[in-house]
Amino acid sequence: VLTIVGVNFGGAQDDVRVVFYGGQGYTPECEVLHVDPSQIQCALSVPFNAGLEWSLALSVRGYGSSATQIEAVRMARPLITALSGCNVTGCVAGDVLTLSGANFWDFSLGANRVHLEAIFRESLGAAPECPLIAADVDALQCKLRVPVGTQGNYTLIVTVLGQVSRPLKVAVLS
């Protein structure tokens, strides 16, 4: 979370934009989470190939600030160290999966995403979904949805603020 301290920020999130420019590579983004008259907090997402040096400016109710030079450092890749919540033969619809690890985001549930993809010749049917129900810095929980006719092995990937985990192979049963 990037916290910007100053004056005259107002109090409405919709009135505030945090803008990065002048750097190399893909541009960082900062989703505004909280605004009060003297402080703005935003969830900073720094893409994998973003440069380090950026100019940052604010727009509050259409009025721009002067630019400030900052270093935007990319967050570490999410790390999945364990999966629990399935029986030994595989995961089924309704299972609450717990992904243990590191570098998850506990400030905003929506900053984390669990995605399952079919593995060629190892899966059948549409990919399962696992919407998040809880997030902490070292664990995520999601509830598995399995479409009718879906079964086999799938790759589970966690994305946190644009950073992608290494894939984990998961067996899914119909």
Side-chain angles (χ1 to χ4, degrees), residues 76-100:
R77 168 187 284 213
L79 173 67
I80 304 169
T81 57
L83 169 68
S84 60
C86 304
N87 66 42
V88 293
T89 57
C91 303
V92 297
D95 282 350
V96 174
L97 308 185
T98 299
L99 304 165
S100 301

Side-chain angles (χ1 to χ4, degrees), residues 12-169:
Q13 277 182 240
D14 293 340
D15 291 343
V16 176
R17 286 187 50 221
V18 178
V19 180
F20 289 87
Y21 65 93
Q24 295 181 348
Y26 287 105
T27 306
E29 295 179 3
C30 212
E31 177 187 347
V32 177
L33 303 171
H34 172 79
V35 176
D36 66 40
S38 62
Q39 180 174 285
I40 297 170
Q41 289 181 324
C42 60
L44 179 61
S45 176
V46 181
F48 181 73
N49 64 347
L52 186 61
E53 298 287 329
W54 291 89
S55 294
L56 177 138
L58 302 175
S59 172
V60 179
R61 291 181 301 279
Y63 295 98
S65 71
S66 56
T68 300
Q69 292 295 117
I70 69 164
E71 290 185 359
V73 179
R74 180 171 62 91
M75 183 176 156
R77 168 187 284 213
L79 173 67
I80 304 169
T81 57
L83 169 68
S84 60
C86 304
N87 66 42
V88 293
T89 57
C91 303
V92 297
D95 282 350
V96 174
L97 308 185
T98 299
L99 304 165
S100 301
N103 305 323
F104 304 132
W105 195 254
D106 63 340
F107 194 76
S108 170
L109 191 63
N112 305 282
R113 182 171 177 259
V114 176
H115 180 73
L116 288 108
E117 296 178 355
I119 298 175
F120 184 66
R121 294 188 180 169
E122 292 188 31
S123 54
L124 179 66
E129 296 179 354
C130 205
L132 283 165
I133 55 175
D136 203 341
V137 293
D138 58 1
L140 297 176
Q141 284 190 318
C142 63
K143 188 168 184 175
L144 189 64
R145 294 182 190 157
V146 180
V148 174
T150 292
Q151 63 183 8
N153 293 317
Y154 291 82
T155 300
L156 183 143
I157 298 167
V158 172
T159 303
V160 179
L161 296 172
Q163 305 306 317
V164 180
S165 71
R166 295 197 191 299
L168 177 69
K169 192 173 187 177

